[in-house]
């Protein structure tokens, strides 16, 4: 990972990245799970991930917490390293020409007045011009094609989107859902300031938003009704000092009298000395975050989901065609449950290897599958693998070993093992609203899945992808070896009598050879949306 402090060093790297897709995650450091979700999304969509860490003096008012703002550069560095970031740009204020003292004599980006009438802007004069100025400067220095921002700072997001639009910058702003603790508190660097008692009080922000949201869902679109419901909840938190609670249009940020198709319910409040913000999107077809919790919150694969039933997406295809990555990303984007059936077969394979069960002993393997208690949890982002436990022991990493990869298709071909695991998969997918990925998922496990996709890719392409992956993990295997392995695996998978590899007759084939992962994802999401539009089901898309 490059650790860059100067503009000159950054420029050198930027020149070396020419031709790659560069993604930028601008931060003020003190990184938490919210930032990590932006980084993950960026890594998934870009060749190069750059994180900037800069506590920007230009966006702090004279009486705000610039001095006190947490600075944890070493911990941030370790987190970025572990998250696979390619470069961190952590300049000084001087390097950026952004000391508060320079404020009177520098060029500024001034956001449109219309976006500064509501929410944080009147309470933080000059804040958004400080943000827009520094973000434009970062865009100019890093030259990313994509930049990632959290929905939690909804007004910032809208202002930056307008900046990109008005200044015709060749950059896509990618809004990412708010990440919350299980009790609903949105992650924020400022949460560190809170004592235990204050943290309890801080829950009032999200709970008030939820009450407003629930009131709206119960059929009253009026701002008066929604705000009153949220206020009623707030009255249970006497130590919260409300700064604002507003219902505005999510793009224009103008106050709404009622929510026709969408609204943004936003709040800012002080808990002690700490100012916190949060928001929820109220939308008939929500485009960002919708309670309960965004996809970035891990969901138990319990086999239940709320009505109305939403369609299932079944994704199949040969090994290495990108099924898991795409399925996970689609699930995250559409806020659907993600079921990685391969992980279940891997778990049984791993256990069998551990226990020395001969892998040609169908009876013992079947017994093992029947007796093993498996639990799965979707990862808390689009790029995190499904977490899996066998008999209470977490084996998420263990099941990814080359040995398991080698044997899994043999174990998965044992009829008793399949029968047992298919039974469990069916119970998980029964209620709809899931992306299911795995061999024969559309032909056999869920022949009634509403959308079936079969991803293909040439042997050469799949070998190349696998090669890149293994190289990134520091493993040495030649491309030729991988091609042979993939051909053998295809042959084994297609020729086996139980659940051979083949597309369901009504599956939509997508050849991924010349498509990026994002392009494949977009295709599936758009097929799903078409399906929903035809059936009149609301889409919980982010
Ligand atoms: O959201 C933040 O952390 C900051 O406002 C940003 C976008 C990094 C600009 O300083």
């Amino acid at each position: 990972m490059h650790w860059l402090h100067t503009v000159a060093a950054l420029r050198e790297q930027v020149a070396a990245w020419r031709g790659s897709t560069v993604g930028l995650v601008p931060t003020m450091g003190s990184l938490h799970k919210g930032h990590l979700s932006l980084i993950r999304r960026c890594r998934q969509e870009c060749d190069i991930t750059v994180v900037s860490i800069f506590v920007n003096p230009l966006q702090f008012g004279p009486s705000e917490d610039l001095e006190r703002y947490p600075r944890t550069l070493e911990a941030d560095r370790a987190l970025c390293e572990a998250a696979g970031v390619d470069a961190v740009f952590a300049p000084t204020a001087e390097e950026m020409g952004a000391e508060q003292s320079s404020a009177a004599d520098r060029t500024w980006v001034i956001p449109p007045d219309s976006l500064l009438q509501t929410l944080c802007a009147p309470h933080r004069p000059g804040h958004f011009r400080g943000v827009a100025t520094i973000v434009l400067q970062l865009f100019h220095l890093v030259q990313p094609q994509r930049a990632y921002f959290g929905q939690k700072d909804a007004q910032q997001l809208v202002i930056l989107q307008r900046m990109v639009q008005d200044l015709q910058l060749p950059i896509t702003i990618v809004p990412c859902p708010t990440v919350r603790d299980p009790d609903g508190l949105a992650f924020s660097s400022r949460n560190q300031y809170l004592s235990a008692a204050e943290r309890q009080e801080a829950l009032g922000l999200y709970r008030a938003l939820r009450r407003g949201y629930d009131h709206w869902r119960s059929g009253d679109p009026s701002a008066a009704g929604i705000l009153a419901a949220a206020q009623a909840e707030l009255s249970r938190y006497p130590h919260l000092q409300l700064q604002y609670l507003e219902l505005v249009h999510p793009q224009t940020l103008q106050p709404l009298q009622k929510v026709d198709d969408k609204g943004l319910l936003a709040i800012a409040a002080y808990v002690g000395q700490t100012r916190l913000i949060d928001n929820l999107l109220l939308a008939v077809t929500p485009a960002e975050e919708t309670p309960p919790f965004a996809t970035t919150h891990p969901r138990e694969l319990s086999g239940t989901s709320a009505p109305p039933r939403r369609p299932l997406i079944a994704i199949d295809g040969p090994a290495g065609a990108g099924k898991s990555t795409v399925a996970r990303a689609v699930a995250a984007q559409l806020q659907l449950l993600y079921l990685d059936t391969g992980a279940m077969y891997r778990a049984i394979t791993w256990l069998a290897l551990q226990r020395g069960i001969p892998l040609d002993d169908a009876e013992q393997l079947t017994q093992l599958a029947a007796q093993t208690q498996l639990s799965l949890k979707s990862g808390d982002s689009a790029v995190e693998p499904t977490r899996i436990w066998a008999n209470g022991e977490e084996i998420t990493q263990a099941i990814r070993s080359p040995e398991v990869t080698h044997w899994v298709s043999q174990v998965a071909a044992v009829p008793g093992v399949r029968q047992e695991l298919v039974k469990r998969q069916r119970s998980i997918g029964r209620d709809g609203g899931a992306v299911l990925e795995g061999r024969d998922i559309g032909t056999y496990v869920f022949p009634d899945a509403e959308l079936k996709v079969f991803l293909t890719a040439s042997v050469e392409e799949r070998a190349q992808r696998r090669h890149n992956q293994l190289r990134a993990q520091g493993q040495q295997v030649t491309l030729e070896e991988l091609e042979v392995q993939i051909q053998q695996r295809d042959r084994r998978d297609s020729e086996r009598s139980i659940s051979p590899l083949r597309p369901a007759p009504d599956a939509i084939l997508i050849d991924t050879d010349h498509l990026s992962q994002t392009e494949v994802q977009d295709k599936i999401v758009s097929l799903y949306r078409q399906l929903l539009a035809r059936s009149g089901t609301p889409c919980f898309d982010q």
Side-chain angles (χ1 to χ4, degrees):
M1 184 179 78
H2 300 283
W3 180 247
L4 310 165
H5 295 291
T6 63
V7 167
L10 174 66
R11 286 221 162 103
E12 228 171 85
Q13 280 309 318
V14 169
W17 294 326
R18 205 147 291 147
S20 307
T21 306
V22 176
L24 173 65
V25 181
T27 80
M28 299 209 299
S30 186
L31 302 181
H32 50 66
K33 281 194 184 170
H35 295 118
L36 293 179
S37 79
L38 307 181
I39 292 172
R40 285 195 208 98
R41 176 91 179 259
C42 181
R43 286 197 65 217
Q44 189 193 356
E45 296 176 350
C46 303
D47 303 323
I48 301 288
T49 294
V50 182
V51 172
S52 64
I53 299 183
F54 181 56
V55 182
N56 168 28
L58 301 181
Q59 69 188 69
F60 286 80
S63 59
E64 293 185 347
D65 57 347
L66 174 62
E67 295 311 322
R68 189 166 86 114
Y69 196 85
R71 287 162 173 86
T72 55
L73 215 49
E74 274 316 303
D76 292 347
R77 181 180 185 156
L79 282 172
C80 286
E81 186 94 54
V85 168
D86 296 284
V88 174
F89 177 51
T92 59
E94 192 183 6
E95 186 73 15
M96 294 293 279
E99 302 104 313
Q100 273 184 334
S101 57
S102 69
D105 190 28
R106 66 125 54 220
T107 303
W108 291 91
V109 176
I110 311 289
D113 265 349
S114 67
L115 299 180
L116 300 175
Q117 306 303 317
T118 53
L119 311 184
C120 294
H123 304 278
R124 302 191 70 186
H127 169 70
F128 289 111
R129 70 173 199 170
V131 170
T133 300
I134 221 65
V135 169
L136 181 65
Q137 196 167 333
L138 288 167
F139 283 177
H140 180 62
L141 291 172
V142 178
Q143 297 178 27
Q145 281 82 42
R146 298 169 80 80
Y148 296 78
F149 295 89
Q151 170 67 30
K152 183 173 150 282
D153 297 301
Q155 190 166 24
Q156 166 172 289
L157 193 56
V158 171
I159 287 174
L160 294 176
Q161 279 167 328
R162 267 301 287 282
M163 176 179 84
V164 163
Q165 188 188 325
D166 291 350
L167 302 182
Q168 301 182 321
L169 305 179
I171 296 177
T172 304
I173 300 271
V174 184
C176 300
T178 303
V179 180
R180 302 177 180 284
D181 256 336
D183 57 11
L185 184 69
F187 277 98
S188 157
S189 303
R190 293 187 167 98
N191 289 355
Q192 301 183 18
Y193 300 148
L194 303 174
S195 67
E198 285 175 338
R199 196 188 172 289
Q200 278 308 107
E201 199 69 12
L203 292 178
L205 275 84
Y206 177 69
R207 293 194 177 146
L209 295 174
R210 270 308 298 262
R211 271 287 283 278
Y213 175 88
D214 291 342
H215 181 86
W216 170 70
R217 287 291 291 217
S218 72
D220 177 6
S222 76
I226 294 166
L227 292 171
Q231 284 283 4
E233 182 68 22
L234 278 177
S235 65
R236 301 178 53 225
Y237 297 84
H239 302 298
L240 271 186
Q241 272 174 278
L242 182 65
Q243 188 172 64
Y244 66 76
L245 172 68
E246 290 175 24
L247 182 65
V248 298
H249 188 278
Q251 267 91 46
T252 65
L253 304 183
Q254 297 308 303
L256 291 178
Q257 296 307 312
K258 67 179 176 56
V259 179
D260 284 325
D261 59 345
K262 51 189 168 180
L264 181 77
L265 184 59
I267 188 168
Y270 277 93
V271 189
Q273 299 298 306
T274 307
R275 182 177 178 276
L276 298 175
I277 58 171
D278 200 353
N279 66 77
L280 280 180
L281 192 82
L282 279 48
V284 176
T285 49
E288 286 102 30
E289 189 194 9
T290 301
F293 302 128
T295 48
T296 40
H297 187 75
R299 296 171 63 185
E300 289 282 348
L301 299 184
S302 62
T304 57
S305 69
R309 185 187 188 282
R310 285 184 292 151
L312 287 177
I313 307 179
I315 301 183
D316 196 355
K323 295 189 297 288
S324 331
T325 323
V326 166
R328 226 179 356 248
V330 167
Q333 184 173 353
L334 295 170
Q335 304 214 7
L336 301 174
L337 205 65
Y338 165 60
L339 176 61
D340 174 3
T341 59
M344 298 170 94
Y345 290 106
R346 280 175 175 272
I348 301 303
T349 308
W350 180 81
L351 272 176
L353 288 166
Q354 283 289 100
R355 296 185 184 180
I357 295 176
L359 297 182
D360 53 1
D361 188 332
E363 201 171 317
Q364 278 203 63
L365 288 171
T366 304
Q367 232 179 35
L368 179 69
Q371 287 165 359
T372 302
Q373 197 214 344
L374 286 178
S375 30
L376 294 105
K377 213 180 208 188
S378 309
D380 63 3
S381 81
V383 287
E384 217 160 88
T386 297
R387 293 178 66 188
I388 182 158
W389 291 257
N391 304 321
E393 182 188 355
E394 177 156 14
I395 52 170
T396 309
Q397 292 304 324
I399 62 165
R400 303 283 158 199
S401 72
E403 208 189 357
V404 173
T405 305
H406 182 77
W407 292 109
V408 61
S409 79
Q410 178 168 333
V411 173
V414 174
V417 172
R418 274 208 103 69
Q419 230 171 31
E420 183 57 41
L421 295 190
V422 164
K423 198 164 70 190
R424 300 188 197 187
Q425 291 156 19
R426 286 188 177 142
S427 100
I428 292 170
R430 195 181 46 211
D431 297 321
V435 181
L436 310 145
E437 168 253 313
R439 187 58 32 74
D440 79 3
I441 202 84
T443 45
Y444 177 62
V445 187
F446 286 102
D448 297 333
E450 288 85 347
L451 175 59
K452 294 176 197 164
V453 175
F454 194 84
L455 296 183
T456 61
S458 64
V459 170
E460 294 74 29
E461 171 84 19
R462 285 184 281 147
Q464 186 63 58
R465 289 180 195 164
R466 186 85 190 117
H467 193 246
N468 297 346
Q469 263 172 7
L470 291 173
R471 246 199 353 215
Q473 291 164 10
Q475 296 185 38
Q476 297 294 336
V477 189
T478 68
L479 207 52
E480 292 69 32
E481 274 176 286
L482 286 171
E483 283 185 13
V484 171
Q485 277 176 21
I486 287 175
Q487 270 158 348
Q488 283 173 346
R489 172 116 191 237
D490 279 357
R491 201 168 320 117
R492 261 199 324 264
D493 286 352
S494 325
E495 287 173 0
R496 70 188 194 198
S497 53
I498 299 282
S499 306
L501 169 67
R502 69 170 65 109
D506 52 347
I508 294 167
L509 258 67
I510 302 181
D511 179 354
T512 67
D513 256 14
H514 302 292
L515 298 179
S516 69
Q517 191 238 296
T518 318
E519 286 168 325
V520 179
Q521 180 183 337
D522 288 349
K523 274 183 192 282
I524 299 176
V525 167
S526 115
L527 287 167
Y528 188 77
R529 288 210 188 102
Q530 288 165 19
L531 188 73
L532 291 182
R534 282 200 299 273
S535 68
T537 315
C539 176
F540 291 77
D541 191 352
Q542 38 159 287

